[in-house]
């Protein structure tokens, strides 16, 4: 079970990772996959760091705040990229990324 004080951020990270995985998979099904390459790459990076951050928080690691600061930066970049595309999966991913970036910044500031 995730450390209670980080529960909201852990949930946002897990939700974001899921949204990024879905977005990357859906982008691969778009007609112009090459145009979606940047989105797919950021989706994969974002999903990976979100899962990493959730693990650090769940363990109440002394490095959790540092990881969450980096996670917020990656989420922001991914959200900005996804927001450029009008596909529903990209827009949903952008929203999840922005929420996660907010949660991670809040968590890191409170630590």
């Amino acid at each position: 079970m995730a450390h209670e004080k980080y529960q909201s951020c852990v949930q946002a990270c897990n939700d974001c990772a899921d949204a990024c995985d879905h977005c990357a998979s859906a982008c691969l099904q778009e007609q112009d996959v090459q145009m979606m390459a940047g989105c797919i790459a950021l989706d994969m990076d974002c999903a990976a760091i979100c899962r990493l951050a959730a693990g650090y928080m769940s363990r109440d690691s002394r490095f959790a705040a540092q990881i969450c600061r980096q996670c917020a930066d990656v989420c922001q970049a991914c959200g900005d990229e996804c927001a450029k595309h009008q596909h529903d999966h990209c827009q949903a991913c952008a929203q999840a990324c922005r929420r996660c970036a907010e949660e991670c910044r809040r968590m890191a500031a409170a630590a």
Side-chain angles (χ1 to χ4, degrees):
M1 166 123 179
H3 202 276
E4 290 177 13
K5 64 184 174 182
Y6 303 133
Q7 189 58 43
S8 176
C9 193
V10 168
Q11 187 63 52
C13 284
N14 286 329
D15 290 346
C16 187
D18 290 346
C20 287
D21 282 343
H22 173 73
C23 187
S25 179
C27 283
L28 289 170
Q29 303 305 313
E30 295 296 338
Q31 278 193 315
D32 189 356
V33 174
Q34 186 59 39
M35 184 185 81
M36 305 306 293
C39 188
I40 295 165
L42 279 167
D43 283 338
M44 293 187 313
D45 285 348
C46 192
I49 199 164
C50 284
R51 288 193 174 93
L52 181 71
Y56 272 65
M57 287 183 282
S58 293
R59 294 186 298 277
D60 198 19
S61 170
R62 64 185 178 133
F63 299 106
Q66 290 172 289
I67 297 295
C68 282
R69 276 190 285 278
Q70 187 65 46
C71 186
D73 290 345
V74 175
C75 285
Q76 187 67 53
C78 188
D80 290 348
E81 177 62 29
C82 285
K84 294 176 186 177
H85 306 285
Q86 294 307 309
H87 309 293
D88 289 344
H89 54 86
C90 288
Q91 292 299 310
C93 188
Q95 185 176 23
C97 287
R98 289 180 179 140
R99 179 174 173 264
C100 189
E102 275 182 37
E103 287 287 338
C104 281
R105 286 188 184 106
R106 185 176 305 124
M107 177 277 180

